[in-house]
Amino acid sequence: MANLFFVPQNIITGENAVQMSMQYIQAFGKKALIVTDDAMVSLGNVKKLTDELDKIGTEYAVYSGINSEPTHSMIDEGVEIYKGKGCDFLIGIGGGSPMDSMKAIAAVAANGGSIKEYRGKKLEKQLPNTVTIPTTAGTGSEATKVSIITNTDANVKMLLSDPRLMATLAVVDPVFTLTAPPGVTVATGVDALTHAIEAYTSLKAFPMSDIFAVSAVKKIFSNIYEVYTNGSNVASRREMATAAQEAGIAFSNASVTIVHGMSRPIGALFHIAHGLSNAQLLGVCLKYLKSGAVAQLCDLAKAIGVYRPDMTPEEGADAFVTATADLLRSLNIKTLQECKVPEADFFNQIPKMAEEALAIGSPGNTRRTPNKDDIMALYKELWQEGL
Ligand SMILES: NC(=O)c1ccc[n+]([C@@H]2O[C@H](COP(=O)([O-])OP(=O)(O)OC[C@H]3O[C@@H](n4cnc5c(N)ncnc54)[C@H](O)[C@@H]3O)[C@@H](O)[C@H]2O)c1
Ligand SMILES: [Fe+2]
């Protein structure tokens, strides 16, 4: 079977990537809309970018209204600013939320209508040039053809996936991630780990996506605990930034599976950050999918060095599942109860969440494909047994 492999047109990585990107950005347009959040403004990250834009004489307007995971009204507002200020290209700087928002604003600016109508829609018209600058090592949005926007009227996290959402230029400077606090570092890092594991075990995986997935799993196992406990370690931050991007490329091509499918309804209904709900679900879901993905999980055990030659493939797969559970425990991920999710509400919503998870489609890519009863049982197990 043949597969098409998608990556951004250009990627610049490493310290001072923003400075280097200016020679390309100069040709992208006359005025940029910078999409970001208030934290990026107060941390000085937006100024680092605008100082460089000033040097090349490129104009810009700043929209810093993405102060939670993006909602449809934030996108509406961004489109108005883009048009009102006469912008002709876009730069998203921040975590996945500003980068996804920037892509969604670009999509609506080119294709019209309201973002609420974009679920499952093919983007007919080419987007203006887009630049992604991540400040978390997590979503990989800088290098994916995906944008996730919550329609708050329907309480649904919409997954937009279209090759036109791939950035023209991704600019990855790990130095931006140094200020991420431990909670954000862990949640976003486990999001990246989940992308890589899901891509590698997906029914849609293929050799090119596998290369990126395995490389990301290795780097994250070696570095996530270090960046959690010693956030100023630049070498480890660099490894995590690269891994997040690799994991993004892997899943953008091979798709995610059950964890992301089950995670989105939890995020939409109980307002738990994307990375955290993935981290909560990863252990439970790995135990579930293991019997369908023994060979793949055994490969990952070899990649992270927990496989021994006397092990059967089954034991190898178990070794990976155990190593992941141990890693998650060491990262002190909050449970649903610790996030103050009300028990009765959670249980009442289980049938709706299971339907929504299946409607998202990604659980269908799992090698042990779940039905609604399986997913409902997993939500119950998640509540009762924790991580
Ligand atoms: N497009 C994709 O391919 C893709 C993949 C996975 C997730 N997502 C989406 O991405 C969003 C989540 O993105 P995220 O996990 O990066 O979080 P985020 O962008 O929501 O940021 C989380 C918090 O961390 C802060 N922050 C970010 N960088 C920081 C830094 N360097 N220093 C200090 N604080 C910093 C932000 O201000 C914010 O308060 C969700 O909406 C999720 O659905 C998208
Ligand atoms: Fe994710």
Side-chain angles (χ1 to χ4, degrees):
M1 186 183 152
N3 295 95
L4 179 62
F5 185 68
F6 287 105
V7 280
Q9 230 170 64
N10 289 294
I11 301 173
I12 301 175
T13 55
E15 282 96 320
N16 297 323
V18 170
Q19 284 88 326
M20 184 178 167
S21 69
M22 292 300 139
Q23 57 187 286
Y24 301 90
I25 289 179
Q26 201 158 27
F28 282 177
K30 288 194 165 33
K31 185 167 184 177
L33 178 68
I34 298 174
V35 180
T36 190
D37 63 23
D38 289 332
M40 292 302 115
V41 176
S42 54
L43 283 166
N45 291 342
V46 172
K47 184 164 186 309
K48 281 185 196 145
L49 170 64
T50 54
D51 282 351
E52 297 302 319
L53 291 172
D54 288 338
K55 284 185 203 160
I56 59 166
T58 295
E59 289 179 64
Y60 48 83
V62 177
Y63 170 43
S64 64
I66 317 298
N67 290 306
S68 65
E69 295 200 354
T71 63
H72 71 270
S73 38
M74 293 176 192
I75 305 308
D76 290 346
E77 196 182 340
V79 174
E80 265 182 43
I81 297 172
Y82 180 83
K83 291 184 174 163
K85 300 272 184 188
C87 300
D88 57 359
F89 75 105
L90 300 94
I91 305 176
I93 178 166
S97 299
M99 289 190 289
D100 277 10
S101 301
M102 181 280 290
K103 295 186 205 177
I105 293 166
V108 178
N111 289 274
S114 156
I115 192 70
K116 284 198 281 184
E117 301 148 11
Y118 275 56
R119 197 178 191 193
K121 179 174 162 164
K122 188 172 169 347
L123 301 178
E124 298 293 343
K125 294 199 184 130
Q126 179 66 44
L127 274 50
N129 284 312
T130 53
V131 182
T132 44
I133 309 179
T135 64
T136 56
T139 67
S141 178
E142 65 274 15
T144 74
K145 57 181 168 72
V146 172
S147 167
I148 300 169
I149 309 296
T150 301
N151 175 344
T152 48
D153 292 345
N155 266 342
V156 168
K157 268 193 150 190
M158 303 187 296
L159 172 78
L160 318 180
S161 176
D162 190 292
R164 293 196 192 279
L165 291 172
M166 187 66 87
T168 320
L169 175 66
V171 182
V172 186
D173 184 339
V175 171
F176 281 126
T177 64
L178 285 170
T179 50
V184 170
T185 300
V186 162
T188 53
V190 178
D191 185 25
L193 177 63
T194 309
H195 293 155
I197 297 173
E198 295 206 275
Y200 194 71
T201 58
S202 166
L203 287 167
K204 292 187 177 162
F206 59 102
M208 284 298 290
S209 62
D210 287 348
I211 292 169
F212 287 83
V214 172
S215 177
V217 169
K218 272 192 199 169
K219 287 189 178 79
I220 296 169
F221 263 89
S222 304
N223 292 284
I224 193 168
Y225 185 76
E226 176 63 17
V227 289
Y228 170 49
T229 52
N230 178 17
S232 57
N233 182 332
V234 183
S236 281
R237 291 284 195 183
R238 188 183 303 122
E239 290 288 282
M240 287 299 294
T242 306
Q245 193 184 9
E246 290 172 336
I249 290 171
F251 97 79
S252 185
N253 283 281
S255 186
V256 282
T257 67
I258 187 169
V259 180
H260 273 74
M262 289 182 64
S263 169
R264 272 196 283 277
I266 297 183
L269 288 166
F270 299 107
H271 309 291
I272 299 203
H274 173 81
L276 181 54
S277 54
N278 280 338
Q280 291 166 338
L281 280 158
L282 182 58
V284 171
C285 289
L286 270 184
K287 274 192 274 168
Y288 168 80
L289 69 83
K290 193 199 78 184
S291 63
V294 167
Q296 290 74 17
L297 294 174
C298 184
D299 287 347
L300 294 179
K302 289 176 185 163
I304 63 163
V306 295
Y307 174 83
R308 288 191 322 268
D310 61 334
M311 284 179 172
T312 61
E314 180 89 25
E315 287 167 341
D318 280 335
F320 182 74
V321 173
T322 304
T324 307
D326 292 346
L327 180 70
L328 292 171
R329 255 190 305 280
S330 75
L331 300 173
N332 301 317
I333 287 145
K334 277 193 198 168
T335 60
L336 289 171
Q337 288 87 342
E338 285 164 343
C339 293
K340 309 265 182 284
V341 172
E343 181 170 2
D345 286 2
F346 185 79
F347 275 81
N348 285 339
Q349 294 287 358
I350 284 179
K352 180 178 178 311
M353 290 196 292
E355 277 163 27
E356 184 56 35
L358 284 170
I360 286 163
S362 56
N365 303 322
T366 313
R367 281 176 191 271
R368 181 181 173 197
T369 312
N371 59 27
K372 187 177 167 188
D373 287 342
D374 296 327
I375 293 192
M376 292 206 303
L378 285 167
Y379 278 129
K380 285 180 195 152
E381 191 181 331
L382 173 66
W383 183 273
Q384 280 150 2
E385 294 180 23
L387 306 171

